[in-house]
């Protein structure tokens, strides 16, 4: 084909034409559908026959669609008819004779039940549903009227049972005849739930007969659910009600003989639940309920004559065979799943109850803290659970470990570790062991948990074992404070065990680092106890405690992968030593100086050079503590001879190495004078020292700004601001006291509003200031 257009332009033209044709075709198809609906719609034709509005035009939404409005009207009509029928039966019934009553009831009921067939033929399904609902209600009123007139002295419960059975059968037949209707068959199913329970109450009032009636009805519903799934809901509800009645009776039974009847009900419910899960793959919950019912049934019979704790063990033993269902491949998957979960749930409840009883024994040792080294073991309550609690915990742990092996999952193994530790750790207390044997057994259990934490191939089990070991060590350590010998023995053994775990544990294992930190903590505790035994003043206890950071600093690289956490723990021990010596200035100065020596010795190594700053700070602190003890009021006499040479040395270093930081060159020298003088100025009521210090700080600040040095700028500015605040503070206090109380909050609010309104600008200014300071040396 020859065209005057270039190929690209012609292709674009063709694409535009095709797009327009597609849009026109969609419009015509929409118009065609609208016309077809219009032709099939009953009623007069609309006055406007023009084309439909474009798809992009906005059309007002209707208040309600036609089908929803129709359903509302039909429902209201059915309700009104039902109310009228009820009022007629209850109020106007007595004004008619026997014949009139029979004719009216028969005619109205027959008309209401027969009309839906005609309405369905005309396609009026919603109207037929409403009229059918009225007809079903009329049958109920017929049954009531028959009882009120013909059998007023008969048993009402028995009559209601029979009437419910008849109505269920009638409604089921009616729904089967008119299958298009959706109301009759569900109504028949609901009515069928009443005959057996009502008949049981009429025959023998009491929970036992009612439970069996509910269970029988649930069985019928379960059978019906195989064909009509809607029957599964009432089956579950009535079956649960029957099982709850059995559980209540089993719990209130006073003897094993009295527990047999509810046990039979529960076992029947268990059989029904298992059968339902056998036939329906999705009904594993029925097997779960059945398994729990079997546990309660057998355990309820076996618990009589036992203490509550041993009754718990009996229920646990009954539940354990259910766990084996996971290995029985002959059972359907739903049955295996439900029974196994029932066993897990029963074992979990027993373990939870036993764990709660075991955990109650742990806080008793906190009573030792009321009077340390009093050699008085906390009194234990008599009549406790005894051996039942550890037995239940160990049995549950064995079941969890077996499940972890069968299912190849780590979660049951974690639970098993916790339960084993809880059972073994609390057993000596619950069994009433002597104190020495109790501590020995618990130390052994704690050590075993620590070994498992280091060697367990399962990460979750190792973490659980580490937590258990930590809790056990803390509990035993607190209990050991009851006596001096116990403190040294228990803390020494635990410290040695932690040190061994840190030394011989797997490399880079997190538990190994925790063991090393605990070893430092126990060493510190033992040294504090040594100081307490010597009857020295508390301030002198700090000297033996300093041996811990000194030893850690001496070991240094030989600590391997646990070096950093051990050094942090040693720093905490050093801080404790300083805190212990704070009661006497001379001792505090000595301890600070010794701590500085330790830091200086550690700073010899290249990788710990940063500790040199800590050593300098400690030496300076020790010096000033000693000077304060001597009553020195003019620190400048001692600081200026240090500051001048330090600044000279820093200046020479900056000349030799221009890249050196100003903090390294000038920071120590400036801080040596500015900071002690600032402390003295804040306590000086005169004006000479603050004036001189402020002037010196201003000079240092200007020098730092001129030479673009970070350390002089920041140190001088901070000291200058602190001096200004010190001088202005009395006047600020006077002004604030003279102002009304509402003025300071108002000013603070205005300030916050201004800052909030210019938050972004303030943020940019702060960022630029930070960058400017960062560019300084």
């Amino acid at each position: 084909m020859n065209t005057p257009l270039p190929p690209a332009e012609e292709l674009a033209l063709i694409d535009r034409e095709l797009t327009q044709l597609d849009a026109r075709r969609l419009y015509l198809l929409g118009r065609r559908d609208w016309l077809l609906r219009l032709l099939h719609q009953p009623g007069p034709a609309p006055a406007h026959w023009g084309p439909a509005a474009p798809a992009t035009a906005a059309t007002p939404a209707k208040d309600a669609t036609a089908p929803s409005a129709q359903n509302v009207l039909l429902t209201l009509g059915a309700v009104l008819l039902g109310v009228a029928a009820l009022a007629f039966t209850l109020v106007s019934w007595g004004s008619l004779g026997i014949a009139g009553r029979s004719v009216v009831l028969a005619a109205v009921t027959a008309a209401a039940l027969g009309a839906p067939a005609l309405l369905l033929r005309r396609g009026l399904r919603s109207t037929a549903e409403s009229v059918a609902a009225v007809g079903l209600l009329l049958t109920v009123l017929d049954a009531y009227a028959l009882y009120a007139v013909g059998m007023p002295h008969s048993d009402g419960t028995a009559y209601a049972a029979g009437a419910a059975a008849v109505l269920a059968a009638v409604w089921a037949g009616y729904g089967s005849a008119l299958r298009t209707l959706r109301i009759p068959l569900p109504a028949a199913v609901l009515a069928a739930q009443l005959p057996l329970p009502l008949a049981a109450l009429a025959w023998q009032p009491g929970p036992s007969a009612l439970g069996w009636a509910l269970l029988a009805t649930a069985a019928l519903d379960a059978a019906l659910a195989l064909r009509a799934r809607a029957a599964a809901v009432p089956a579950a509800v009535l079956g649960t009600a029957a099982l709850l009645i059995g559980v209540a009776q089993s719990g209130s039974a006073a003897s094993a003989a009295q527990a047999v009847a509810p046990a039979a009900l529960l076992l029947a419910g268990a059989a029904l639940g298992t059968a339902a899960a056998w036939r329906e793959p999705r009904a594993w919950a029925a097997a779960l309920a059945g398994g729990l019912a079997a546990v309660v049934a057998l355990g309820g019979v076996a618990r009589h004559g036992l203490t509550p704790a041993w009754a718990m063990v009996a229920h646990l033993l009954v539940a354990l065979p259910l766990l084996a269902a996971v290995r029985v491949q002959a059972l359907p998957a739903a049955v295996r799943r439900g029974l196994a979960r029932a066993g897990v749930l029963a074992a979990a409840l027993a373990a939870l109850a036993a764990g709660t009883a075991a955990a109650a024994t742990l806080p008793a040792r906190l009573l030792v803290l009321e009077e340390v080294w009093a050699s008085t073991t906390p009194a234990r309550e008599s009549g406790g659970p005894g051996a039942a609690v550890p037995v239940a915990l160990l049995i549950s742990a064995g079941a969890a470990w077996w499940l972890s092996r069968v299912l190849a999952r780590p979660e049951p193994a974690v639970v098993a570790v916790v339960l084993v530790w809880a059972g073994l750790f609390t057993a000596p207390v619950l069994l009433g062991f002597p104190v020495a044997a109790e501590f020995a057994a618990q130390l052994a259990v704690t050590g075993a948990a620590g070994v498992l934490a280091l060697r367990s191939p399962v990460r979750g089990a190792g973490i659980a074992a580490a937590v258990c070991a930590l809790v056990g060590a803390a509990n035993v350590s607190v209990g050991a404070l009851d006596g001096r010998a116990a403190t040294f023995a228990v803390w020494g053994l635990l410290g040695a065990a932690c040190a061994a775990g840190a030394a011989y544990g797997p490399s880079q294992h997190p538990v190994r680092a925790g063991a090393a930190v605990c070893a430092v903590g126990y060493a510190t505790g033992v040294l504090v106890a040594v100081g307490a035994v010597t009857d020295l003043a508390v301030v002198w206890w700090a000297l033996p405690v300093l041996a811990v950071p000194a030893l850690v600093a001496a070991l240094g690289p030989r600590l391997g992968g646990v070096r950093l956490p051990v050094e942090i723990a040693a720093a905490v021990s050093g801080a404790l030593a300083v805190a212990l010596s704070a009661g006497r200035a001379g001792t505090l100065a000595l301890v600070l100086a010794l701590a500085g020596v330790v830091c200086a010795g550690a700073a010899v190594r290249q990788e710990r050079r940063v500790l040199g700053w800590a050593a300098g700070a400690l030496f300076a602190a020790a010096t000033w503590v000693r000077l304060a003890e001597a009553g020195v009021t003019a620190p400048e006499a001692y600081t200026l001879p240090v500051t001048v040479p330090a600044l000279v040395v820093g200046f020479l270093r900056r000349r030799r190495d221009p890249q050196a930081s100003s903090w390294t060159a000038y920071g120590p020298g400036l801080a040596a004078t500015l900071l002690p003088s600032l402390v003295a100025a804040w306590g000086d009521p005169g004006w000479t020292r603050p004036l001189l210090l402020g002037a010196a700080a201003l000079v240092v600040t200007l020098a730092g700004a001129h030479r673009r040095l970070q350390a002089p700028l920041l140190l001088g500015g901070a000291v200058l601001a602190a001096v200004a605040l010190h001088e202005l503070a009395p006047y600020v206090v006077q002004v604030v006291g003279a102002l009304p109380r509402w003025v300071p909050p108002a000013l603070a609010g205005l300030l916050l509003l201004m800052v909030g309104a210019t938050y972004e600008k303030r943020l940019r200014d702060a960022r630029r200031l930070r960058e400017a300071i960062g560019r300084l040396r």
Side-chain angles (χ1 to χ4, degrees):
M1 295 177 63
N2 296 323
T3 59
L5 296 175
E9 295 183 6
E10 184 180 3
L11 180 61
L13 177 63
I14 291 173
D15 289 338
R16 288 195 297 270
E17 293 290 340
L18 289 175
T19 303
Q20 294 176 1
L21 289 174
D22 290 339
R24 182 63 179 172
R25 182 174 183 275
L26 291 175
Y27 167 75
L28 293 175
L29 288 174
R31 180 70 176 176
R32 180 178 181 275
D33 292 338
W34 180 77
L35 291 173
L36 289 175
R37 290 195 301 271
L38 187 65
L39 290 175
H40 291 87
Q41 181 178 352
H48 179 66
W49 293 97
T56 57
T59 58
K62 297 180 180 180
D63 291 339
T65 60
S68 62
Q70 179 188 16
N71 292 334
V72 170
L73 292 175
L74 292 175
T75 302
L76 289 175
V79 170
L80 291 176
L81 287 176
V83 171
L86 184 62
F88 170 77
T89 304
L90 296 177
V91 178
S92 301
W93 182 260
S95 62
L96 297 176
I98 298 296
R101 299 170 185 174
S102 302
V103 171
V104 170
L105 279 177
V108 174
T109 303
L113 294 178
L118 299 177
L119 294 173
L120 289 174
R121 292 178 184 177
R122 294 180 176 271
L124 303 176
R125 179 176 176 178
S126 298
T127 306
E129 292 281 1
S130 300
V131 176
V134 174
L136 298 181
L137 177 60
L138 287 174
T139 57
V140 177
L141 296 178
D142 290 342
Y144 168 74
L146 180 61
Y147 171 75
V149 175
M151 296 176 287
H153 302 293
S154 60
D155 188 356
T157 306
Y159 177 80
V166 172
L167 289 176
V170 171
W171 292 352
Y174 183 70
S176 299
L178 300 177
R179 292 185 176 274
T180 309
L181 298 177
R182 291 174 295 182
I183 293 179
L185 288 179
V189 172
L190 291 178
Q193 311 305 311
L194 300 176
L196 289 180
L198 292 177
L201 292 176
W203 172 60
Q204 185 179 355
S208 180
L210 178 61
W212 281 105
L214 292 174
L215 187 62
T217 306
L220 296 176
D221 290 334
L224 181 60
L226 298 176
R227 300 186 60 184
R229 188 170 298 173
V233 175
V237 173
L238 296 185
T240 302
L243 293 180
L244 290 177
I245 291 175
V247 170
Q249 284 191 300
S250 178
S252 61
S255 63
Q258 293 182 4
V260 171
L265 175 62
L266 291 171
L267 291 176
L272 175 60
T274 305
W278 199 294
R279 294 295 302 272
E280 176 54 51
R282 291 172 294 183
W284 62 268
L288 170 65
L292 293 176
V295 171
V296 175
L298 299 179
V301 175
R303 69 179 178 86
H304 293 282
L306 302 175
T307 62
W310 284 108
M312 172 187 63
V313 176
H315 283 82
L316 177 60
L317 293 176
V318 172
L320 290 181
L322 296 177
L323 299 176
V326 298
R327 300 294 298 272
V328 183
Q329 299 299 325
L331 296 176
V335 177
R336 293 201 307 270
R337 185 180 180 186
L339 293 181
R341 291 191 176 188
V344 170
L345 182 57
L349 292 175
L352 180 61
T356 302
T361 64
L362 299 179
R365 282 182 170 160
L366 295 177
L367 299 175
V368 173
L369 299 178
E370 297 179 357
E371 190 175 0
V372 178
W373 288 357
S375 298
T376 56
T377 304
R380 303 190 184 98
E381 296 182 0
S382 59
V389 168
V391 168
L393 290 172
L394 294 178
I395 293 176
S396 302
W401 184 258
W402 181 81
L403 279 178
S404 69
R405 302 295 299 273
V406 172
L407 302 178
R409 295 185 62 87
E411 294 85 358
V414 174
V415 175
V417 169
V418 175
L419 293 178
V420 167
W421 173 83
L424 295 179
F425 190 83
T426 58
V429 180
L430 294 171
L431 296 177
F433 281 17
V435 176
E438 179 181 315
F439 276 111
Q442 290 182 336
L443 284 173
V445 173
T446 302
V451 173
L452 180 61
L454 290 170
R455 301 295 181 182
S456 175
V458 182
R459 179 178 177 84
I463 295 175
V467 173
C468 292
L470 184 62
V471 174
N475 187 265
V476 175
S477 300
V478 172
L481 291 174
D482 188 48
R484 298 187 178 186
T487 299
F488 285 103
V490 172
W491 288 20
L493 288 174
L494 288 174
C498 291
Y504 301 105
S507 178
Q508 304 300 325
H509 199 288
V511 177
R512 184 186 176 201
V517 171
C518 291
V520 173
Y522 278 114
T524 304
V526 169
L527 291 175
V528 171
V530 169
V533 169
T534 59
D535 293 331
L536 295 175
V538 175
V539 295
W540 294 108
W541 298 1
L543 296 179
V545 173
L546 279 178
V548 175
L551 178 61
V552 172
L555 293 176
R558 286 191 290 271
L559 294 173
V562 299
R563 181 181 181 183
L564 181 60
V566 168
E567 288 179 343
I568 293 174
V572 175
S573 298
L576 175 63
V578 173
L580 290 174
S581 63
R584 185 180 299 171
T587 309
L588 177 60
L590 176 61
V591 171
L592 288 172
L594 293 176
V597 171
V598 173
C599 290
V604 173
R605 298 187 176 93
Q606 180 67 30
E607 67 277 7
R608 293 295 183 263
R609 288 293 173 84
V610 69
L611 293 178
W613 290 89
L618 290 171
F619 285 138
T623 301
W624 285 112
V625 168
R626 180 65 67 182
L627 291 176
E629 183 187 17
V632 174
T633 57
E636 292 80 7
Y638 299 91
T639 58
L640 287 176
V642 177
T643 295
V644 173
L647 293 178
V648 172
V649 172
F651 176 75
L652 295 177
R653 179 174 180 183
R654 287 273 298 173
R655 291 188 61 182
R656 187 176 64 254
D657 181 14
Q659 300 300 323
S661 172
S662 61
W663 288 101
T664 304
Y666 303 119
L670 292 174
T673 293
L674 291 177
L675 297 182
S677 298
L678 178 62
V679 175
W682 269 79
D684 192 346
W687 59 272
T688 306
R689 185 191 301 275
L691 177 61
L692 296 176
L693 179 60
L698 178 60
V699 172
V700 171
T701 303
L702 295 177
H706 176 68
R707 303 296 298 178
R708 301 180 61 82
L709 298 175
Q710 191 178 105
L713 178 63
L714 295 182
L715 279 175
V719 172
L720 182 61
V723 172
L725 179 62
H726 173 265
E727 294 303 310
L728 292 177
Y731 302 102
V732 173
V733 171
Q734 292 178 4
V735 171
V736 172
L739 290 176
R741 294 186 177 181
W742 59 270
V743 173
L747 294 176
L750 290 175
L751 178 62
L752 291 177
L753 288 176
M754 294 174 59
V755 173
T758 60
Y759 174 75
E760 295 295 336
K761 187 175 185 302
R762 300 284 81 78
L763 192 62
R764 289 194 298 270
D765 294 341
R767 190 178 296 112
R768 284 196 292 267
L769 178 61
R770 184 189 63 185
E771 293 173 355
I773 293 176
R775 288 193 294 269
L776 302 179
R777 292 290 180 186

